[in-house]
Amino acid sequence: MKKLFYIKTYGCQMNFYDSEKIQDLLKPMGYILSKEPENCDLAILNTCHIREKASEKMYSDIGRLSKYKKNKKLAGENMIIAICGCVAQAEGKEIIKRNKDVDIVLGPHNYHKLTSILSKKFTRPVIKNEFDVEEKFNSFPKPSFSGVTAFVSIQEGCDKFCTFCVVPYTRGAEYSRNVLDIFGEVKNLVSLGVKEITLLGQNVNAYNGKFDFQNPKNLYSLAKLCSFLSEIKGLERIRYITSHPADMTDELILEHQNNSKLMPYLHLPIQSGSNKILKEMNRRYTKEVYLKIVEKLRSKIPNIALTSDFIVGFPGENKSDFDDTMDIVKSVKFAGSYSFKYSPRPGTPAFLKKFDLEDNIINDRLNILQKELNLQQKQFNEKCIGLDMEVLIEKIGKKRNQFVGRSEYLQPVHIISREDLIGKLVKVKIKSLTSFSLHGKLS
Ligand code: SAH
Ligand code: SF4
Ligand code: F3S
């Protein structure tokens, strides 16, 4: 019988990758994806725990699903509510305590258990939060459909334990998938029409995977993996995210120089420009080390675009610490960045620190930082006007004969063409800029 399912994804790309895998698991069971949750037989929230706001959003969404479930019950039908992802891992049965309508709670390494859970009748809620990461990857079916670009998780978890961050607790210890499994997954995606892959990991540049299980001593770094994957015919572009400054090796920088499929774009979160705060955060580098990496990157790959993440208002951040952050932003010049207000997360070491910064001070600092980052992004985009850029066309645009793609630097680029260009790499002369999108003509 036809069954409908709904899935909402919060958080990072790894969660989006996982949500695609959940869909691949459900489709052979007869489930059809629905855009709206109201009439679904199964509603899934794939959640994020990184900041308080993200977790709270989930609880208000469960409340909404609960109402739909009650309506369905009145009509003699059921809706199974499944909470997956990092909040599921962190809060487990608390979620069911807060809302009795939740049927299934699955941590990020337990999605593959969904098929067996759903095939049995269950009378009480099911909670699974083991760290079976290897089993998880081995149980995902091959995808049968994909677009022009795709994510591929190559690593899970994190051993860095930055004092503000929940990831080591929600995703467990760092684990690198083996090279041949990744190669097989990318090859399959390319055979389905994928032209660009983004390799995912919370610490992706610390990737250290076995070649296969027969060769436990033959370990591949991220650089070596990129070089190996670039041999796949038809794969045009490789990206990776997120890198940690402490793991930025010369080997990876050299791979950028030598591998034309590796895009000249690097997301390298610094978080703060103050050495005192970086130490308190347990980030394992100083601002001087970060600046050295930037210098090296730019000397070897002059056109590389750099982006970053920032946290403002970490406990103990004073005016001079914030000034250090602004100084580093002004000296590096980023092509785009994310910045967040520090959110105290229960269970992390920083949660226990005295947190007495006034909210209006933090807001002011965030505004100043974001203004500068937006200006830098605008300046970076403006410098692209007049250039001939390589663009991978991903989809049709809103206007007639319009196509949208991405530049090497991930900027959205709009062009007009009568010919269907989806999946093609084209040269575009950039003519103008509207907010953060570029517009150009085929050159
Ligand atoms: N592994 C990556 C980042 C993963 S989380 C790295 O180390 O850079 C993505 C971003 O969320 C982080 O870079 C950080 O800027 C932000 N973040 C994480 N925990 C946070 C918290 N408690 N409060 C505010 N922002 C946070
Ligand atoms: Fe979190 Fe730090 Fe690990 Fe990034 S490196 S996921 S911020 S603990
Ligand atoms: Fe959020 Fe978990 Fe990703 S906490 S940022 S979904 S690893």
Side-chain angles (χ1 to χ4, degrees), residues 50-51 164 202 269 271 283 309 311 340-341 343 345:
I50 203 85
R51 284 168 291 273
F164 52 81
Q202 282 297 356
Q271 314 298 356
R283 285 294 289 182
D309 290 346
I311 294 179
F340 311 97
K341 233 161 109 168
S343 171
R345 307 306 289 131

Side-chain angles (χ1 to χ4, degrees), residues 20 145-151 193-198 236-237 239 263 390-398 402-415 419-426 428 442:
E20 278 176 24
F145 173 79
S146 207
V148 175
T149 63
F151 292 134
V194 167
K195 299 282 168 26
E196 173 183 303
I197 51 151
T198 305
E236 307 274 7
R237 287 177 162 184
R239 301 181 185 277
M263 291 294 98
E390 199 151 81
V391 178
L392 176 62
I393 305 295
E394 292 178 15
K395 55 184 184 193
I396 49 171
K398 286 187 184 135
Q402 192 184 45
F403 289 88
V404 191
R406 296 252 177 197
S407 71
E408 291 178 315
Y409 309 127
L410 266 184
Q411 298 142 302
V413 182
H414 293 73
I415 53 163
E419 190 196 336
D420 180 7
L421 295 176
I422 290 177
K424 296 216 165 104
L425 257 185
V426 292
V428 175
L442 283 176

Side-chain angles (χ1 to χ4, degrees), residues 158 160-162 164-165 167-168 202-203 244 271 283:
C158 180
K160 289 279 194 287
F161 290 92
C162 302
F164 52 81
C165 181
V167 172
Q202 282 297 356
N203 249 310
H244 191 287
Q271 314 298 356
R283 285 294 289 182

Side-chain angles (χ1 to χ4, degrees), residues 54-70:
S55 300
E56 280 312 312
K57 178 102 190 47
M58 176 203 81
Y59 280 109
S60 71
D61 284 343
I62 299 181
R64 200 163 326 126
L65 292 179
S66 228
K67 284 189 195 130
Y68 301 142
K69 183 172 177 134
K70 288 196 175 88

Side-chain angles (χ1 to χ4, degrees), residues 10 18 29 61 64 73-74 117 122 134 146 151 159 169 194 214 221 227 232 259-260 266 279-280 297 312 327 370 440:
Y10 314 62
D18 287 341
M29 295 182 78
D61 284 343
R64 200 163 326 126
K73 262 197 185 144
L74 290 175
I117 297 170
F122 49 89
E134 216 167 299
S146 207
F151 292 134
D159 292 339
Y169 312 97
V194 167
Q214 267 88 51
S221 60
S227 163
I232 298 175
N259 187 343
S260 59
L266 181 65
K279 193 151 188 261
E280 293 280 308
L297 278 161
V312 170
D327 285 348
Q370 288 183 337

